[in-house]
Amino acid sequence: MSTEVKSEVLKVLEDRHSVKQYQAGHKMPKADLEQLLTSTSQAPSSWNLQHWKLLVIEDQAQKEKLHPIAYGQKQIVESSVVIAILGDLEANKNTELVFGPAVEAGHMSKELYDTLAAQIEGAYQYPQVARDEAIRNASLAAMQLMIAAKALGYDTCPMGGYDAAKFVEAFNVPARYVPVMLISVGLAATPARSAGRFSLDQITVSNTF
Ligand SMILES: Cc1cc2nc3c(=O)[nH]c(=O)nc-3n(C[C@H](O)[C@H](O)[C@H](O)COP(=O)(O)O)c2cc1C
């Protein structure tokens, strides 16, 4: 990676802040939305099972429905699109979809496939593992989405402030998926204030506790 590209990536990371005021009424062009979702889908995941489902809420009436569920946070109705990041509690069901084509193409042996599939099924016997994996991997997609949005000229706000049970009911979310967070995406009306961070001394431990 060239130094120039590297510094651009670091600038995007530095410039991302949670924006709560958007240019209301802006509609995101389809090409931008597709790029955003494609970049999001490139996030890494355990066994590449891609434990996420992205509920893309662009319709203003649907955003109005979500508004009270998200405790009246105005970024829900003023941003261009709200993306609900859902974690897949049954990502083990993706094994065949993910690895089947590699076996068929001869890139993966049937033995290796069977070993992987047994490993995955073993792990997914435990509901806590399934839930941890869903939230962990979908959270990586969420972060990737926010960075990609910034690189495309948009701002975002991740939101955990909503009633998950009401959200599931109102948007008919199947039991297979656990809501992880909502992310508003749009054009900033007012730049966000930069939130402080702990110093490296405060957040790091060298080698061992
Ligand atoms: C999981 C999660 C949930 C959050 N929930 C909300 C929320 O409901 N409403 C809100 O305005 N900001 C929310 N935030 C934004 C945080 O307040 C913000 O990320 C933090 O203050 C750091 O600021 P920055 O994102 O601008 O760097 C949330 C952030 C995360 C990661």
Side-chain angles (χ1 to χ4, degrees), residues 7 12 21 47 52 56 58-59 71 77 131 137 175 180 190 208:
S7 64
V12 166
Q21 285 165 328
W47 293 296
W52 43 73
V56 180
E58 277 188 288
D59 181 61
Y71 308 121
V77 282
R131 193 178 161 80
N137 290 288
V180 173
T190 316
T208 180

Side-chain angles (χ1 to χ4, degrees), residues 16-20 73 75 146 157-162 180-181 192-197:
R16 186 218 54 82
H17 301 295
S18 293
V19 161
K20 302 177 192 193
Q73 299 197 63
Q75 52 271 40
M146 290 187 274
C157 183
M159 282 167 279
Y162 63 98
V180 173
M181 72 184 81
R193 204 169 43 82
S194 177
R197 289 298 192 266

